[in-house]
Amino acid sequence: MLEKLRALDVELFVYLNSLGNETFDATWLFLTKQINWLPFFLLLLFLVYKKLGSKQTLYLLLFVALLITFTDQTTNAFKNGFQRLRPCNNPDINTFIRVVQSRSSYSFFSGHAANSMAVASFLYFVFKSRIKYLGFLFLWPLIFAYSRIYLGLHYPLDILTGYFFGFVFGYLMHLLYKKAQKKYFPQQLS
C-alpha cells in the first residue's frame, strides 16, 4: 500500500511538473522566494494593525514568530528523519523531469507549504469574523507551495503533508493566542 502511494505521488509529481515551460520559469522562481511576498506581508500587517492597534499587533506578531519557528523546526525534524530525496535529486526521475531549481536538503515535508499554511490558518481563525473575504488568504499557500512542484523540489504528498501540519499548528496556535488574549487583552476580544 505504501509503495503504491509513493508511486502515485511520483506519477502525479511528474505530470504536474511537466505542465511547466521555460516561459513561466522566471515567474515561479520569483513566487517561491519569501522576500518577494513582502508587499503581501505588509498588506496583512496593515490589516492586522487596523484591527488591533500597535500593542496588540506586536503581541500577535510574537505568536506568528513562535508559530513559524515551531513549524519550521518540525519540518526539519521530519526531513532529517525520513530523508526522502527531493525530485531534483531522485536518480529515478531527475533525468526526465523539469528541474528548474535544486536543493541538497530532503523533501518530506515541505516547509514552504507548512509555514505558509500555518500562518494563513492562524490569521484566518483569529480574524475570520473581523475581515471580510479573508478566505482568499489561502491562495497564498496554494501558489507558494505549487511553486515547489513546478521547480522540481517537492512531491505532491510533501505539499499536502505540509498543508496538514501547517493547518493543525495554525489552529492550535490560534487557540493559544485566544487564551492569552483573554488574559492580557480582554477588552479587545472579537
Side-chain angles (χ1 to χ4, degrees):
M1 174 75 172
L2 191 55
E3 281 306 313
K4 199 174 217 178
L5 185 60
R6 280 190 197 137
L8 184 62
D9 192 29
V10 170
E11 189 177 317
L12 182 58
F13 166 80
V14 170
Y15 172 75
L16 292 172
N17 176 262
S18 72
L19 295 175
N21 67 58
E22 289 180 16
T23 305
F24 300 109
D25 288 356
T27 301
W28 289 103
L29 283 166
F30 179 85
L31 289 171
T32 204
K33 292 181 184 171
Q34 292 95 329
I35 192 72
N36 295 329
W37 289 85
L38 190 58
F40 175 70
F41 299 148
L42 290 174
L43 173 63
L44 284 177
L45 182 61
F46 175 74
L47 291 173
V48 168
Y49 171 77
K50 291 295 280 180
K51 294 294 178 184
L52 299 179
S54 58
K55 193 175 189 181
Q56 205 176 148
T57 295
L58 290 173
Y59 188 69
L60 181 125
L61 288 176
L62 172 67
F63 278 82
V64 170
L66 290 171
L67 176 61
I68 291 171
T69 300
F70 182 75
T71 305
D72 202 54
Q73 293 308 307
T74 302
T75 300
N76 289 333
F78 270 78
K79 283 181 180 181
N80 293 325
F82 282 91
Q83 297 187 352
R84 183 182 194 192
L85 292 177
R86 290 180 181 268
C88 61
N89 298 326
N90 183 343
D92 296 335
I93 63 171
N94 69 357
T95 57
F96 62 87
I97 64 169
R98 297 187 75 253
V99 178
V100 181
Q101 193 176 62
S102 62
R103 295 275 184 272
S104 59
S105 59
Y106 295 111
S107 183
F108 186 79
F109 54 91
S110 169
H112 278 70
N115 290 332
S116 60
M117 183 58 82
V119 173
S121 298
F122 174 72
L123 293 175
Y124 177 78
F125 287 118
V126 170
F127 293 107
K128 68 182 177 181
S129 65
R130 299 172 81 181
I131 299 176
K132 198 173 184 179
Y133 305 117
L134 191 61
F136 284 111
L137 179 62
F138 290 102
L139 289 174
W140 165 47
L142 182 68
I143 294 166
F144 197 44
Y146 176 74
S147 73
R148 311 308 282 171
I149 294 171
Y150 182 97
L151 298 173
L153 297 170
H154 283 292
Y155 298 96
L157 277 179
D158 300 340
I159 302 299
L160 293 175
T161 305
Y163 281 162
F164 172 76
F165 275 90
F167 185 84
V168 169
F169 293 158
Y171 180 76
L172 293 175
M173 187 61 76
H174 150 261
L175 294 177
L176 187 63
Y177 172 79
K178 285 295 187 185
K179 189 173 186 173
Q181 187 183 34
K182 282 181 186 175
K183 182 174 182 180
Y184 297 109
F185 297 98
Q187 73 285 1
Q188 297 284 327
L189 292 175
S190 55

